[in-house]
Amino acid sequence: MFKILSKKEASPGVYFMEVEAPRIAKKAKAGQFIVLRVDDNGERIPLTIADYNSESGSVLLVFQVIGATTTELAALNVGDSILDFVGPLGQPSEIKNFGTVAVIGGGIGVAPTYPIAKAMKEAGNKVIAIMGAKTKDILIMEDKMRSVVDEVVITTDDGSYGIKGFVTNGIQSLVDRGEKLDQVTAIGPVIMMKSVVDATRDLKIKTVVSLNPVMVDGTGMCGGCRVMVDGKMKFACVDGPEFDGHKVDFKDLMNRQKMYRDEETVAKDHICHIGLGV
Amino acid sequence: MAVSMKKHEMPAQDPKVRRKNFNEVALGYDEETAVAEANRCLHCKVPKCMEGCPVQVHIPEFIEKIKTREFDEAISIIKETNSLPAVCGRVCPQENQCEKHCVLGIKGESVAIGRLERFAADTFMLKNKEVQPIKYADDAKKVAIIGAGPAGLTCAGDLAHKGYKVTIFEALHKAGGVLSYGIPEFRLPKDKVVAREIENIEKLGVKIEVNSVVGRLYTVDELMEEEGFSAVFIGTGAGLPRFQGIPGENLNGVYSANEFLTRCNLMKAYDFPNNLTPITEGKKVAVIGGGNVAMDAARTALRLGADEVSIVYRRSMQELPARREEVEHAKEEGVDFKILINPTEVIGDDKGWVKGLKCVRMELGEADASGRRRPKAIEGSEFTLDVETVIVAIGTGPNPIISNTTKGLDTDNHGHIIADEKTLATSKPGVYAGGDIVTGAATVILAMGAGRTAAKSIDEYLKK
């Protein structure tokens, strides 16, 4: 059992949750994820690690309530426990001194970019974080990110904060002022990562994306997380989750993300109906 | 008294009923049938049956005890060499092992050794007999086992009996490996059999740490250098599923058998949404492949509610690698065998879901390296099967996590760990490996045999 040490609703439906998992906290590296199962009837879902602290023995998760499992997770409180918590899974991010690096997060995708930004800075890079949100109120982790990077560029869809537009407008603003980016890491909704990749392809900037396809075991057994990269079948759980964004078949990925859309609604209704929901 | 040339039949659920439920198909012998079957054993002076058993169960001796109705003694004899008798009695391919060597099999049917083993194991379980914990010496050495599947559990049981303190690290949330995630309930009941067998091993004093992915949470080196383990056995089992590499395999509605069976068995997707893991299945299902896993997937698909389930296999019935019993059970339940047919493309609709499986008819040519006749496509014989779900059951490759994170551990060019055939020692001192991670996909009993061999080698290594 893995105890919940803290819980905070950062914006409506978006939660920060620290989970006690000392061994995972000790071994985790930027870019890795965990798989959790809330209780004995639960499904296994992957969540990217948003931060880890080997001293307090905790792993930080940031999640948005979307389906049944995130609804169940949000209903848990400090002191409650998660039944199964496995990790750290996946290959860590490649961290070295690339020069100038842009770390791009969209929505709750900002969370997993934080440990990458921090590690990139520690490796000697000039790190610029581009953080995107629909509107100012739901932007997460701004202060935390500012404390580890050289510069923060904020974009909001409605223009309520920072540049009006998408994270791609953030990239453009850097290019326009003559910033030379040596590497980009982008994490967020698939459609956002695809837009970033389309933009950086023309700019010839190497771009890493972190994929979060459907997984069951998350340890290299089921094959559910297969993605096409450079025309070859890869498995996000053991070969990824990070891949060269210019080689990812996003059309294929987006189609596979839809596989359980109907079932997700049924499961969420079921959870709300039996009273476990928030 | 003349010995009957035929085995005693084992009662089974009616095919029409069972194709719609997940309860166990084969129901096991009752006491009288078991004793009568045991009486068929001739007790050969030089028993051949044991030669066929990868864990060398003392077959004639336990059968003798069934004859005399000393069932406790029968199971004790089996357990001397087999940690999972209720499992083996159900899923071993006895026809290719012990029963293949039985003298009675020359002119008639061999003694039903597997069914008798199952009877002895089930009788023991029904009595709720307590397993006696082992008393460990204070300075007993610690051994780490990676993977709580058939190889790991067997190795753990044997090492515990030899006085070693064993911890099994299991990646999933439940022990059992393929016994839990792969083989379906209707062939191997999870609570009644698998959980009980695992409990029995735990009662010996073996610790099982679930949710522990070695290579990530601990490396093999850390286990040995920091966690105090004197030796390690790697029994991580089957890894990533293989696909054919034909167009359309990423369409929605295409599953690997690993994923399909894991969702259903381990995650209980058949009881969605009470269990939250979903599974989607159309009314018409094609399963590609002809092994036991393909049979399991096809029969599971029926039970999940499919109207039509086909096995699509590129060779003929003669080459089909699944056990005959499984094939017969599948046929009785209504699985259609489309043989000498090879899929060439999964066809999708405009929403990205499977709507058909394009195939070509095959004929058998010359024998290949495996001795089986090589299938080749018949030109112009293409056709499309109307299906909404495709399950790919053509085997698995090795899991890369341990080999990628362990220095000095040699693998072959497929990524399987290289282990000495006799001792199962790897290139890394103190580290042994066996089961599917070494051999590629094989059977439960071969993995168990490897677990036994490794336990023996580890004992010798640690006594040096």
Side-chain angles (χ1 to χ4, degrees), chain B residues 157-174:
Chain B
D158 280 17
L159 285 168
H161 280 295
K162 292 179 200 289
Y164 296 99
K165 286 185 183 165
V166 178
T167 302
I168 309 182
F169 296 91
E170 166 58 44
L172 292 174
H173 56 261
K174 200 174 198 176

Side-chain angles (χ1 to χ4, degrees), chain B residues 291-308:
Chain B
N292 288 321
V293 175
M295 300 304 127
D296 284 347
R299 297 171 70 196
T300 298
L302 274 180
R303 285 158 174 80
L304 286 172
D307 292 335
E308 289 175 27

Side-chain angles (χ1 to χ4, degrees), chain B residues 10 17 31 52 73 162 264 330 349 358 370 378 380 408 421 433 452 462:
Chain B
M10 178 158 59
V17 176
E31 185 174 326
E73 283 74 13
K162 292 179 200 289
C264 201
D349 63 15
K358 202 168 161 188
S370 73
I378 302 172
E421 262 180 51
R452 274 212 93 204
L462 293 178

Side-chain angles (χ1 to χ4, degrees), chain A residues 112-184:
Chain A
T113 62
Y114 167 75
I116 298 170
K118 194 170 146 189
M120 286 292 193
K121 181 66 196 166
E122 281 163 8
N125 291 285
K126 177 182 176 187
V127 182
I128 304 169
I130 303 176
M131 303 167 65
K134 278 194 179 128
T135 185
K136 184 183 178 185
D137 296 344
I138 63 168
L139 182 72
I140 56 168
M141 288 179 116
E142 184 187 346
D143 293 343
K144 218 172 160 167
M145 190 68 87
R146 282 193 191 279
S147 71
V148 296
V149 300
D150 294 283
E151 183 185 350
V152 168
V153 175
I154 287 165
T155 68
T156 51
D157 298 7
D158 63 359
S160 56
Y161 191 27
I163 299 170
K164 182 177 185 327
F166 303 110
V167 291
T168 42
N169 298 95
I171 301 172
Q172 196 56 49
S173 75
L174 297 178
V175 172
D176 289 348
R177 76 175 192 208
E179 194 74 56
K180 187 186 159 291
L181 298 176
D182 297 297
Q183 163 145 323
V184 164

Side-chain angles (χ1 to χ4, degrees), chain B residues 29 34 53 71 94 126 183 185 190 221 269 305 418 432 452:
Chain B
Y29 282 160
C53 178
F71 303 130
Q94 290 103 4
L126 279 176
I183 302 176
E185 176 77 18
K190 303 298 157 223
D221 288 307
I418 298 171
Y432 295 76
R452 274 212 93 204

Side-chain angles (χ1 to χ4, degrees), chain A residues 23 27 37 41 43-44 84 86-88 214 219-222 224 226 228 252 255-256 259-260 263 270, chain B residues 173 211 216-217 222 240-241 249-250 252 254-256 258-259 263 272-274 276 280 351-353 399:
Chain A
R23 185 74 206 177
K27 297 291 288 189
R37 193 172 72 123
N41 300 324
E43 61 180 334
R44 296 168 64 99
D84 299 302
V86 197
V214 172
T219 64
M221 192 269 284
C222 83
R226 57 191 187 274
M228 297 308 285
D252 186 86
N255 185 52
R256 285 185 63 75
M259 181 145 171
Y260 294 105
E263 286 77 9
H270 175 78
Chain B
H173 56 261
N211 295 326
R216 296 274 177 243
L217 202 58
E222 283 166 344
L240 290 160
E249 284 178 316
N250 285 355
N252 290 335
V254 180
Y255 283 103
S256 73
N258 269 9
E259 182 181 359
R263 282 179 182 271
F272 176 83
N274 292 318
L276 289 176
T280 64
K351 295 201 170 83
W353 285 82
N399 186 300

